[in-house]
């Protein structure tokens, strides 16, 4: 079996871009982002469709960036935006279809990003870091553009943990069979995304550390 992460065919890379771009454009069309124009929606689609790959290439020094070596990536984002402008009103953020898009984006970028890092000779720990950045950075950028705290940093659905499981699974299985590693990585992220949603599994707020107080009840200045 040819490992699609190592020898990523253009159609798979474009499919990954399209799924992320559609997700980004749908987010841009939601009510809380209704003030966005078509350029704003395109920017959301661009960062969720290409952001993970761009961050991956920057971390690896893989230049020129893969997304810029051919016009097909940007054209794919444009097509995704047009599709969402035409039919995006039928997709809701809380729908199963959107959850599937979200999980596929996370899993695909986790697998491809991790394998790129291994191809560049990074040790397993370094590959895990690159895979995490590749899978999570697009969503973080979009949240910042919305002036929101990224979901990754807040109590809620464990996006970061799902990405971590995916990239670690890839690294472990890659030592035996890299093709199976790709499939299991994506499948595990998608399955766990739906399991956490169905069972309402969420991360919880950590109790903050408070400075000690003086006997008079006041906190020390330093």
């Amino acid at each position: 079996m040819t490992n699609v992460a190592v020898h990523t065919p253009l159609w798979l890379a474009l499919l990954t871009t399209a799924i992320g771009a559609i997700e980004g454009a749908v987010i841009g069309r939601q009510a809380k982002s209704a003030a966005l124009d078509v350029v704003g929606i395109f920017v959301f689609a661009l960062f969720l469709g290409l952001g993970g790959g761009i961050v991956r290439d920057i971390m690896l020094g893989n230049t020129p960036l893969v997304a810029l070596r051919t016009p097909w990536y940007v054209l794919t984002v444009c097509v995704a935006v047009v599709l969402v402008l035409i039919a995006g009103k039928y997709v809701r953020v809380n729908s199963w279809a959107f959850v599937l898009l979200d999980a596929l984006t996370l899993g695909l970028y986790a697998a491809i990003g991790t394998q790129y890092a291994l191809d560049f000779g990074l040790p397993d720990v370094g590959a895990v870091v690159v895979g995490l950045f590749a899978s999570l950075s697009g969503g973080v950028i979009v949240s910042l553009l919305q002036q929101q705290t990224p979901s990754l940093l807040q109590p809620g659905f464990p996006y970061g943990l799902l990405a971590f499981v995916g990239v670690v699974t890839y690294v472990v299985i890659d030592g035996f069979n890299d093709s199976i590693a790709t499939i299991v990585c994506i499948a595990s992220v998608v399955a766990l995304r739906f399991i956490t949603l169905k069972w309402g599994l969420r991360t919880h707020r950590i109790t903050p550390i408070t400075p000690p107080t003086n006997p008079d009840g006041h906190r020390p200045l330093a």
Side-chain angles (χ1 to χ4, degrees), residues 18-36:
I19 292 172
I22 290 172
E23 181 185 0
V26 169
I27 293 174
R29 286 205 63 181
Q30 300 310 299
K32 61 185 176 182
S33 303
L36 294 180

Side-chain angles (χ1 to χ4, degrees), residues 38-166:
V38 65
V39 175
I41 292 175
F42 175 81
V43 170
F44 275 34
L46 187 70
F47 277 113
L48 265 179
L50 299 178
I54 290 174
V55 170
R56 174 203 68 212
D57 289 342
I58 291 174
M59 293 180 72
L60 297 174
N62 185 23
T63 56
L65 304 178
V66 173
L68 303 180
R69 297 177 190 176
T70 169
W72 291 111
Y73 288 94
V74 176
L75 290 176
T76 298
V77 173
C78 293
V79 172
V81 170
V82 172
L83 289 176
V84 171
L85 291 176
I86 295 173
K89 62 182 179 180
Y90 300 109
V91 180
R92 296 291 181 265
V93 168
N94 294 325
S95 67
W96 289 101
F98 184 84
V99 173
L100 179 60
L101 286 175
D102 187 41
L104 285 173
T105 301
L106 196 65
L108 284 164
Y109 268 118
I112 295 175
T114 304
Q115 184 58 58
Y116 260 91
L118 292 173
D119 285 350
F120 269 74
L122 266 64
D124 291 348
V125 173
V128 167
V129 173
V130 173
L132 286 173
F133 271 85
S135 58
L136 297 169
S137 56
V140 170
I141 294 172
V142 168
S143 294
L144 294 177
L145 290 175
Q146 292 178 291
Q147 298 182 336
Q148 298 176 354
T149 301
S151 300
L152 173 67
L153 305 180
Q154 301 183 76
F157 287 114
Y159 293 103
L161 292 177
L162 296 189
F164 181 76
V165 169

